[in-house]
Amino acid sequence: MNSTDSVRHFEQKGSRLLKEFRDFAMKGNVVDLAVGVIIGAAFGAIVTSLVGDVIMPIIGAVTGGLDFSNYFTPLSKSVTAGTLADAKKQGAVLAWGNFLTVTLNFLIVAAVLFAVIRSLNKLKQQAEEAKAPPPTPTRQEELLTEIRDLLKKGAGPSP
């Protein structure tokens, strides 16, 4: 095989690989996932703002300005700072207050997402129930209905 054949072989292989990737990327599930990730990131920013700018200040006001984010335990004797940012510059610290704040934020975000998804599912279920056609009667029910109608008319079977 000469160099021209080798180059042609790699071009064909690359072309097949590119076509395979395009087919994969254009499948409905992959596109749906990409849209979901983008919308999720935007929604995440909204929820993060809701938590940081609305809910946490209310919690801080109710608890008397309590802010866990600066609570830490120094792991070195050289750490003497009063704030977490300064303490991290001085040495190793266990930032348990920041972890507690992030965990609390996660629980609030999870509760908000749960409420939103639950509401969307209820709306979707109501829309599906409204669209659903009434159940069709079974063959037995149709026959019984015909018999009933015939008996009402008085056209029952003659002896």
Side-chain angles (χ1 to χ4, degrees):
M1 179 150 78
N2 61 26
S3 64
T4 306
D5 291 337
S6 177
V7 168
R8 202 173 299 131
H9 172 73
F10 283 117
E11 285 177 352
Q12 289 173 350
K13 196 171 187 175
S15 177
R16 282 190 309 243
L17 184 66
L18 187 60
K19 182 183 180 307
E20 237 180 278
F21 177 75
R22 185 187 69 225
D23 292 344
F24 167 75
M26 296 315 287
K27 284 185 180 176
N29 293 345
V30 175
V31 174
D32 291 346
L33 177 64
V35 169
V37 167
I38 292 167
I39 290 174
F43 186 72
I46 292 170
V47 173
T48 300
S49 175
L50 174 71
V51 169
D53 300 332
V54 177
I55 296 174
M56 289 307 285
I58 292 171
I59 291 174
V62 168
T63 60
L66 188 61
D67 179 20
F68 295 113
S69 62
N70 270 324
Y71 288 12
F72 64 92
T73 301
L75 299 176
S76 168
K77 293 183 190 249
S78 63
V79 177
T80 59
T83 65
L84 180 61
D86 293 337
K88 283 184 175 182
K89 291 176 187 174
Q90 293 178 345
V93 294
L94 183 65
W96 59 270
N98 195 34
F99 175 76
L100 189 61
T101 301
V102 170
T103 302
L104 184 60
N105 287 351
F106 168 77
L107 292 174
I108 293 169
V109 168
V112 168
L113 283 174
F114 174 75
V116 167
I117 290 172
R118 187 169 184 227
S119 299
L120 289 175
N121 285 341
K122 281 185 179 181
L123 288 174
K124 185 177 177 183
Q125 183 181 13
Q126 288 173 352
E128 287 175 357
E129 288 173 356
K131 283 194 303 187
T136 57
T138 64
R139 180 70 180 140
Q140 183 179 8
E141 290 171 338
E142 289 176 2
L143 290 172
L144 289 171
T145 303
E146 288 177 23
I147 293 170
R148 181 199 64 202
D149 293 345
L150 287 173
L151 287 173
K152 281 184 179 178
K153 289 181 182 177
S158 55

